[in-house]
């Protein structure tokens, strides 16, 4: 597929873009890259306090096991933060790099790929913390955790397609930028970040079944907390869907990019 051919052909440039984005994000700060660890830990502490101490939430089936709610919450935040990071930056990707739009030789599709790469790279730090927490809380870890990067990869492909779609549309429809933050907030509460999918009433649970964020969070919890291998349906069907979706969005991006220079 053209999408993977382009990414592979420009892999060195993509790597440099991700490194530049990560470096620029923490340049000048006292803690530097340490913020990539501190920020998710602060948010985790706040959410854990609010939902487990104030609202007295307990994870179904593990009410008497200390730390299980926090582990499941952290899993949800890791996956959701990738989605929020990518979607939040997508509307301004082209506008913020208008100097590159008229450069025919520059592959604009790398802007979205760099955004996803940065989000995934930063999530790996949180993943290492999660692994350590699982080992402490559950007194060990299984080989199922080795599938966690695969789940992140599949989800990353879905986010890549979304970034291409949104960034292209935002060039022509300026209202998209204003709508993104409410959409992210809606997805936070509708993607089972703070609770398992099984708590959703049966009549509307189908919404979760078509929500890739919720599905990916559920599979991530399955391998990281439940100690089970990911479902074959997610690996095969989810992987195929992610590939087709990213290819479709890549083709859409390439079609509409011809008018970028006229609009910006």
């Amino acid at each position: 597929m053209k999408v993977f051919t382009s990414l592979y052909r420009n892999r060195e440039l993509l790597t440099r873009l991700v490194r530049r984005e990560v470096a620029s994000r923490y340049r000048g700060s006292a803690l530097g890259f340490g913020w990539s660890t501190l920020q998710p830990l602060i948010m985790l502490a706040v959410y854990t306090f609010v939902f487990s101490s104030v609202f007295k939430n307990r994870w179904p089936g593990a009410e008497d096991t200390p730390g299980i709610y926090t582990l499941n919450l952290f899993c949800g935040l890791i996956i959701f933060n990738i989605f929020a990071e990518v979607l939040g930056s997508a509307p301004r990707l082209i506008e913020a790099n208008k100097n590159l739009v008229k450069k025919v030789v520059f592959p604009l599709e790398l802007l979205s790929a760099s955004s996803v790469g940065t989000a995934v790279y930063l999530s790996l730090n949180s993943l290492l913390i999660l692994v350590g927490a699982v080992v402490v809380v559950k007194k060990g870890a299984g080989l199922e955790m080795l599938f966690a990067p695969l789940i992140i990869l599949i989800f990353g492909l879905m986010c890549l397609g979304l970034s291409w779609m949104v960034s292209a549309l935002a060039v022509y429809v300026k209202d998209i930028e204003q709508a993104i933050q409410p959409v992210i907030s809606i997805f936070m509460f509708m993607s089972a970040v703070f609770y398992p999918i099984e708590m959703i009433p049966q009549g509307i649970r189908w919404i979760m079944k078509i929500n890739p964020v919720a599905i990916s969070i559920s599979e991530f919890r399955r391998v990281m907390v439940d100690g089970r291998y990911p479902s074959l349906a997610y690996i095969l069907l989810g992987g195929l869907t992610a590939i087709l979706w990213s290819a479709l969005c890549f083709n859409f991006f390439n079609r509409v990019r011809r008018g970028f220079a006229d609009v910006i």
Side-chain angles (χ1 to χ4, degrees):
M1 291 185 179
K2 291 183 179 180
V3 53
F4 300 111
T5 302
S6 175
L7 294 178
Y8 180 77
R9 184 173 60 246
N10 298 289
R11 62 190 182 280
E12 293 183 5
L13 176 58
L14 176 59
T15 301
R16 289 200 296 269
L17 288 174
V18 172
R19 287 176 178 172
R20 186 189 69 175
E21 175 62 26
V22 173
S24 64
R25 181 168 302 193
Y26 302 107
R27 185 180 295 121
S29 62
L31 290 180
F33 189 70
W35 279 109
S36 66
T37 300
L38 187 59
Q39 285 174 337
L41 287 179
I42 292 174
M43 295 309 299
L44 176 63
V46 172
Y47 285 134
T48 299
F49 171 74
V50 171
F51 287 97
S52 65
S53 298
V54 178
F55 292 132
K56 305 297 183 182
N57 284 10
R58 295 294 181 268
W59 204 260
E63 291 84 353
D64 299 325
T65 307
I68 292 297
Y69 183 86
T70 300
L71 293 180
N72 281 287
L73 177 57
F74 203 10
C75 286
L77 288 175
I78 289 175
I79 296 298
F80 180 79
N81 284 342
I82 295 175
F83 168 78
E85 173 82 19
V86 172
L87 185 58
S89 63
R92 291 194 55 79
L93 272 182
I94 306 301
E95 180 73 25
N97 294 276
K98 60 176 66 177
N99 59 310
L100 300 175
V101 172
K102 296 183 179 181
K103 292 184 178 181
V104 182
V105 295
F106 185 83
L108 290 178
E109 64 271 13
L110 291 190
L111 296 176
S112 288
S114 173
S115 174
V116 174
T118 300
V120 169
Y121 179 80
L122 294 176
S123 74
L124 295 180
N125 207 21
S126 296
L127 177 59
L128 292 177
I129 297 173
L130 176 61
V131 170
V134 170
V135 171
V136 171
V137 172
K138 302 192 68 178
K139 313 300 182 185
L143 295 177
E144 303 84 6
M145 285 188 179
L146 296 177
F147 285 88
L150 178 59
I151 294 173
I152 292 177
L153 175 62
I154 292 174
F155 185 64
L157 278 177
M158 296 179 185
C159 290
L160 178 58
L162 181 64
S163 181
W164 277 325
M165 179 73 72
V166 173
S167 63
L169 289 174
V171 174
Y172 302 97
V173 185
K174 303 302 182 182
D175 295 310
I176 289 180
E177 183 177 355
Q178 307 303 322
I180 284 300
Q181 287 307 317
V183 169
I184 291 175
S185 297
I186 291 171
F187 266 87
M188 170 173 278
F189 291 99
M190 294 299 294
S191 297
V193 175
F194 308 106
Y195 53 84
I197 291 179
E198 291 71 24
M199 289 186 66
I200 298 293
Q202 203 56 300
I204 60 173
R205 196 175 295 178
W206 62 269
I207 297 177
M208 294 296 183
K209 300 298 183 181
I210 61 173
N211 180 352
V213 183
I215 296 173
S216 298
I217 288 175
S218 180
E219 290 294 324
F220 196 61
R221 286 170 174 154
R222 181 185 176 107
V223 301
M224 295 302 299
V225 182
D226 297 342
R228 296 186 292 160
Y229 290 102
S231 64
L232 193 60
Y234 181 83
I235 299 299
L236 297 181
L237 184 58
L240 179 60
T241 301
I243 292 172
L244 294 177
W245 165 250
S246 59
L248 177 66
C249 293
F250 177 76
N251 290 334
F252 173 80
F253 181 88
N254 276 336
R255 287 190 177 187
V256 302
R257 67 181 291 179
R258 300 166 188 167
F260 287 174
D262 298 328
V263 178
I264 294 179

